[in-house]
Amino acid sequence: QGIGFYGSGRCIEAVFSPETKPLIRNFLENDRVKKTVHGSKEIIKTLHRESIDVRGIVYDVMIAGYLLDAGG
C-alpha cells in the first residue's frame, strides 16, 4: 500500500514501510504544507486507518469539479 505525490513537475510514489511511513506521516500531518488533493474524504479515511491525520488540505479538485458541473 502506498501513496502518490506530485510537485515541482515530478510524480513520486511512496510505498508504506517501516522506513518511509514516518516520513510520509510528517509530510501529511504538517499543516504548513498546503495540499491539493482529489477525493479528500477517501484520502482522510484511508490514511486514518494508517494512523495518519492529514492536515493542510486547501483544495479538493473532485469537489471543485462537482461544483462546476453540479446542475448538469
Side-chain angles (χ1 to χ4, degrees), residues 1-5 12-29 42-54:
Q1 191 176 39
I3 189 166
F5 300 96
I12 300 167
E13 183 178 350
V15 177
F16 288 128
S17 72
E19 295 81 24
T20 62
K21 192 171 178 180
L23 299 171
I24 295 169
R25 174 183 284 117
N26 288 341
F27 172 76
L28 293 174
E29 291 186 346
E42 190 62 33
I43 289 169
I44 291 168
K45 285 176 21 180
T46 299
L47 291 172
H48 181 73
R49 288 191 293 266
E50 294 290 332
S51 300
I52 296 174
D53 181 22
V54 182

